[in-house]
PDB file of all heavy atoms in Angstrom:
ATOM      1  N   THR B 248      77.785 170.704 -40.072  1.00 92.00           N
ATOM      2  CA  THR B 248      79.013 171.249 -40.690  1.00 92.00           C
ATOM      3  C   THR B 248      78.867 171.384 -42.152  1.00 92.00           C
ATOM      4  O   THR B 248      77.923 170.923 -42.753  1.00 92.00           O
ATOM      5  CB  THR B 248      80.197 170.320 -40.416  1.00 92.00           C
ATOM      6  OG1 THR B 248      81.388 170.903 -40.981  1.00 92.00           O
ATOM      7  CG2 THR B 248      80.027 169.022 -41.129  1.00 92.00           C
ATOM      8  N   VAL B 249      79.766 172.209 -42.804  1.00 93.00           N
ATOM      9  CA  VAL B 249      79.868 172.331 -44.231  1.00 93.00           C
ATOM     10  C   VAL B 249      80.870 171.438 -44.749  1.00 93.00           C
ATOM     11  O   VAL B 249      80.969 171.019 -46.024  1.00 93.00           O
ATOM     12  CB  VAL B 249      80.180 173.729 -44.741  1.00 93.00           C
ATOM     13  CG1 VAL B 249      79.159 174.680 -44.073  1.00 93.00           C
ATOM     14  CG2 VAL B 249      81.620 174.075 -44.350  1.00 93.00           C
ATOM     15  N   ILE B 250      81.722 170.814 -43.984  1.00 91.00           N
ATOM     16  CA  ILE B 250      82.914 170.052 -44.507  1.00 91.00           C
ATOM     17  C   ILE B 250      82.416 168.803 -45.209  1.00 91.00           C
ATOM     18  O   ILE B 250      81.639 168.081 -44.651  1.00 91.00           O
ATOM     19  CB  ILE B 250      83.740 169.774 -43.179  1.00 91.00           C
ATOM     20  CG1 ILE B 250      84.435 171.068 -42.689  1.00 91.00           C
ATOM     21  CG2 ILE B 250      85.013 168.816 -43.627  1.00 91.00           C
ATOM     22  CD1 ILE B 250      85.103 170.837 -41.348  1.00 91.00           C
ATOM     23  N   GLY B 251      83.007 168.726 -46.365  1.00 93.00           N
ATOM     24  CA  GLY B 251      82.707 167.480 -47.265  1.00 93.00           C
ATOM     25  C   GLY B 251      81.381 167.772 -47.939  1.00 93.00           C
ATOM     26  O   GLY B 251      80.851 166.786 -48.653  1.00 93.00           O
ATOM     27  N   LEU B 252      80.604 168.953 -47.730  1.00 95.00           N
ATOM     28  CA  LEU B 252      79.457 169.118 -48.369  1.00 95.00           C
ATOM     29  C   LEU B 252      79.363 170.204 -49.367  1.00 95.00           C
ATOM     30  O   LEU B 252      78.446 170.172 -50.295  1.00 95.00           O
ATOM     31  CB  LEU B 252      78.362 169.343 -47.215  1.00 95.00           C
ATOM     32  CG  LEU B 252      78.073 168.111 -46.300  1.00 95.00           C
ATOM     33  CD1 LEU B 252      77.282 168.658 -44.971  1.00 95.00           C
ATOM     34  CD2 LEU B 252      77.355 167.009 -47.060  1.00 95.00           C
ATOM     35  N   THR B 253      80.180 171.233 -49.169  1.00 95.00           N
ATOM     36  CA  THR B 253      80.168 172.193 -50.183  1.00 95.00           C
ATOM     37  C   THR B 253      81.551 172.940 -50.172  1.00 95.00           C
ATOM     38  O   THR B 253      82.307 172.897 -49.054  1.00 95.00           O
ATOM     39  CB  THR B 253      79.104 173.338 -49.947  1.00 95.00           C
ATOM     40  OG1 THR B 253      79.251 174.278 -50.864  1.00 95.00           O
ATOM     41  CG2 THR B 253      79.279 174.058 -48.471  1.00 95.00           C
ATOM     42  N   ASP B 254      82.130 173.361 -51.213  1.00 93.00           N
ATOM     43  CA  ASP B 254      83.290 174.175 -51.265  1.00 93.00           C
ATOM     44  C   ASP B 254      83.109 175.534 -51.394  1.00 93.00           C
ATOM     45  O   ASP B 254      83.933 176.470 -51.512  1.00 93.00           O
ATOM     46  CB  ASP B 254      84.332 173.689 -52.421  1.00 93.00           C
ATOM     47  CG  ASP B 254      83.586 173.787 -53.819  1.00 93.00           C
ATOM     48  OD1 ASP B 254      82.452 174.250 -53.842  1.00 93.00           O
ATOM     49  OD2 ASP B 254      84.109 173.280 -54.840  1.00 93.00           O
ATOM     50  N   ARG B 255      81.788 176.040 -51.094  1.00 95.00           N
ATOM     51  CA  ARG B 255      81.455 177.413 -51.137  1.00 95.00           C
ATOM     52  C   ARG B 255      81.650 178.151 -49.858  1.00 95.00           C
ATOM     53  O   ARG B 255      81.602 179.264 -49.640  1.00 95.00           O
ATOM     54  CB  ARG B 255      80.122 177.677 -51.845  1.00 95.00           C
ATOM     55  CG  ARG B 255      80.020 177.006 -53.255  1.00 95.00           C
ATOM     56  CD  ARG B 255      78.675 177.439 -53.845  1.00 95.00           C
ATOM     57  NE  ARG B 255      78.540 178.954 -53.962  1.00 95.00           N
ATOM     58  CZ  ARG B 255      77.585 179.538 -54.578  1.00 95.00           C
ATOM     59  NH1 ARG B 255      76.512 178.779 -54.987  1.00 95.00           N
ATOM     60  NH2 ARG B 255      77.432 180.854 -54.500  1.00 95.00           N
ATOM     61  N   LEU B 256      81.672 177.339 -48.904  1.00 96.00           N
ATOM     62  CA  LEU B 256      81.699 177.821 -47.467  1.00 96.00           C
ATOM     63  C   LEU B 256      82.910 177.228 -46.710  1.00 96.00           C
ATOM     64  O   LEU B 256      83.246 176.099 -46.841  1.00 96.00           O
ATOM     65  CB  LEU B 256      80.340 177.508 -46.719  1.00 96.00           C
ATOM     66  CG  LEU B 256      79.145 178.268 -47.288  1.00 96.00           C
ATOM     67  CD1 LEU B 256      77.888 177.452 -46.791  1.00 96.00           C
ATOM     68  CD2 LEU B 256      79.074 179.650 -46.884  1.00 96.00           C
ATOM     69  N   ASN B 257      83.425 178.058 -45.807  1.00 95.00           N
ATOM     70  CA  ASN B 257      84.595 177.600 -44.957  1.00 95.00           C
ATOM     71  C   ASN B 257      84.181 177.751 -43.524  1.00 95.00           C
ATOM     72  O   ASN B 257      83.517 178.726 -43.206  1.00 95.00           O
ATOM     73  CB  ASN B 257      85.846 178.433 -45.158  1.00 95.00           C
ATOM     74  CG  ASN B 257      86.641 177.733 -46.292  1.00 95.00           C
ATOM     75  OD1 ASN B 257      86.428 176.612 -46.674  1.00 95.00           O
ATOM     76  ND2 ASN B 257      87.647 178.451 -46.714  1.00 95.00           N
ATOM     77  N   PRO B 258      84.654 176.732 -42.658  1.00 94.00           N
ATOM     78  CA  PRO B 258      84.375 177.064 -41.142  1.00 94.00           C
ATOM     79  C   PRO B 258      85.299 178.211 -40.692  1.00 94.00           C
ATOM     80  O   PRO B 258      86.483 178.375 -41.252  1.00 94.00           O
ATOM     81  CB  PRO B 258      84.833 175.718 -40.531  1.00 94.00           C
ATOM     82  CG  PRO B 258      85.319 174.766 -41.567  1.00 94.00           C
ATOM     83  CD  PRO B 258      85.198 175.557 -42.833  1.00 94.00           C
ATOM     84  N   HIS B 259      84.722 178.950 -39.744  1.00 93.00           N
ATOM     85  CA  HIS B 259      85.687 179.898 -39.132  1.00 93.00           C
ATOM     86  C   HIS B 259      86.721 179.297 -38.214  1.00 93.00           C
ATOM     87  O   HIS B 259      86.431 178.333 -37.548  1.00 93.00           O
ATOM     88  CB  HIS B 259      84.813 180.829 -38.311  1.00 93.00           C
ATOM     89  CG  HIS B 259      85.544 182.067 -37.807  1.00 93.00           C
ATOM     90  ND1 HIS B 259      86.408 181.978 -36.712  1.00 93.00           N
ATOM     91  CD2 HIS B 259      85.693 183.332 -38.201  1.00 93.00           C
ATOM     92  CE1 HIS B 259      87.052 183.210 -36.449  1.00 93.00           C
ATOM     93  NE2 HIS B 259      86.523 184.035 -37.439  1.00 93.00           N
ATOM     94  N   PRO B 260      87.933 179.692 -38.370  1.00 90.00           N
ATOM     95  CA  PRO B 260      88.999 179.003 -37.564  1.00 90.00           C
ATOM     96  C   PRO B 260      88.763 179.023 -36.048  1.00 90.00           C
ATOM     97  O   PRO B 260      89.348 178.168 -35.383  1.00 90.00           O
ATOM     98  CB  PRO B 260      90.238 179.753 -37.901  1.00 90.00           C
ATOM     99  CG  PRO B 260      89.894 181.194 -38.586  1.00 90.00           C
ATOM    100  CD  PRO B 260      88.552 180.864 -39.172  1.00 90.00           C
ATOM    101  N   LYS B 261      88.095 180.089 -35.579  1.00 90.00           N
ATOM    102  CA  LYS B 261      87.991 180.184 -34.077  1.00 90.00           C
ATOM    103  C   LYS B 261      86.645 179.907 -33.567  1.00 90.00           C
ATOM    104  O   LYS B 261      86.544 179.475 -32.355  1.00 90.00           O
ATOM    105  CB  LYS B 261      88.337 181.606 -33.681  1.00 90.00           C
ATOM    106  CG  LYS B 261      89.834 181.810 -33.545  1.00 90.00           C
ATOM    107  CD  LYS B 261      90.242 183.350 -33.404  1.00 90.00           C
ATOM    108  CE  LYS B 261      89.717 183.779 -31.924  1.00 90.00           C
ATOM    109  NZ  LYS B 261      90.167 185.202 -31.862  1.00 90.00           N
ATOM    110  N   HIS B 262      85.647 180.008 -34.367  1.00 91.00           N
ATOM    111  CA  HIS B 262      84.292 179.829 -33.756  1.00 91.00           C
ATOM    112  C   HIS B 262      83.578 178.728 -34.429  1.00 91.00           C
ATOM    113  O   HIS B 262      83.151 178.707 -35.536  1.00 91.00           O
ATOM    114  CB  HIS B 262      83.530 181.235 -33.992  1.00 91.00           C
ATOM    115  CG  HIS B 262      84.110 182.469 -33.338  1.00 91.00           C
ATOM    116  ND1 HIS B 262      83.997 182.545 -31.919  1.00 91.00           N
ATOM    117  CD2 HIS B 262      84.888 183.435 -33.755  1.00 91.00           C
ATOM    118  CE1 HIS B 262      84.563 183.591 -31.649  1.00 91.00           C
ATOM    119  NE2 HIS B 262      84.963 184.183 -32.655  1.00 91.00           N
ATOM    120  N   ARG B 263      83.230 177.714 -33.448  1.00 89.00           N
ATOM    121  CA  ARG B 263      82.574 176.464 -33.985  1.00 89.00           C
ATOM    122  C   ARG B 263      81.232 176.907 -34.318  1.00 89.00           C
ATOM    123  O   ARG B 263      80.562 177.637 -33.669  1.00 89.00           O
ATOM    124  CB  ARG B 263      82.637 175.516 -32.857  1.00 89.00           C
ATOM    125  CG  ARG B 263      82.312 174.098 -33.259  1.00 89.00           C
ATOM    126  CD  ARG B 263      82.675 173.122 -32.261  1.00 89.00           C
ATOM    127  NE  ARG B 263      81.764 171.973 -32.396  1.00 89.00           N
ATOM    128  CZ  ARG B 263      81.247 171.198 -31.514  1.00 89.00           C
ATOM    129  NH1 ARG B 263      81.500 171.469 -30.290  1.00 89.00           N
ATOM    130  NH2 ARG B 263      80.449 170.235 -31.755  1.00 89.00           N
ATOM    131  N   GLY B 264      80.764 176.274 -35.511  1.00 93.00           N
ATOM    132  CA  GLY B 264      79.321 176.562 -35.969  1.00 93.00           C
ATOM    133  C   GLY B 264      79.191 177.847 -36.816  1.00 93.00           C
ATOM    134  O   GLY B 264      78.047 178.206 -37.220  1.00 93.00           O
ATOM    135  N   LEU B 265      80.316 178.519 -37.027  1.00 95.00           N
ATOM    136  CA  LEU B 265      80.288 179.815 -37.837  1.00 95.00           C
ATOM    137  C   LEU B 265      81.004 179.637 -39.195  1.00 95.00           C
ATOM    138  O   LEU B 265      82.113 178.981 -39.106  1.00 95.00           O
ATOM    139  CB  LEU B 265      80.924 180.911 -37.056  1.00 95.00           C
ATOM    140  CG  LEU B 265      81.041 182.245 -37.711  1.00 95.00           C
ATOM    141  CD1 LEU B 265      79.657 182.894 -37.966  1.00 95.00           C
ATOM    142  CD2 LEU B 265      81.782 183.268 -36.777  1.00 95.00           C
ATOM    143  N   TYR B 266      80.437 180.022 -40.336  1.00 96.00           N
ATOM    144  CA  TYR B 266      80.874 179.839 -41.573  1.00 96.00           C
ATOM    145  C   TYR B 266      80.768 181.087 -42.414  1.00 96.00           C
ATOM    146  O   TYR B 266      79.980 181.833 -42.187  1.00 96.00           O
ATOM    147  CB  TYR B 266      80.171 178.647 -42.276  1.00 96.00           C
ATOM    148  CG  TYR B 266      80.232 177.321 -41.483  1.00 96.00           C
ATOM    149  CD1 TYR B 266      79.169 177.094 -40.400  1.00 96.00           C
ATOM    150  CD2 TYR B 266      81.137 176.393 -41.638  1.00 96.00           C
ATOM    151  CE1 TYR B 266      79.302 176.016 -39.607  1.00 96.00           C
ATOM    152  CE2 TYR B 266      81.170 175.189 -40.827  1.00 96.00           C
ATOM    153  CZ  TYR B 266      80.297 175.122 -39.742  1.00 96.00           C
ATOM    154  OH  TYR B 266      80.450 173.997 -38.997  1.00 96.00           O
ATOM    155  N   GLY B 267      81.722 181.196 -43.319  1.00 95.00           N
ATOM    156  CA  GLY B 267      81.740 182.353 -44.262  1.00 95.00           C
ATOM    157  C   GLY B 267      82.020 181.766 -45.718  1.00 95.00           C
ATOM    158  O   GLY B 267      82.441 180.602 -45.903  1.00 95.00           O
TER     159      GLY B 267
END
Side-chain angles (χ1 to χ4, degrees):
Chain B
T248 183
V249 303
I250 296 168
L252 295 167
T253 180
D254 54 7
R255 299 188 61 177
L256 294 161
N257 268 349
H259 189 278
K261 280 171 69 180
H262 296 286
R263 199 170 153 214
L265 179 61
Y266 303 86

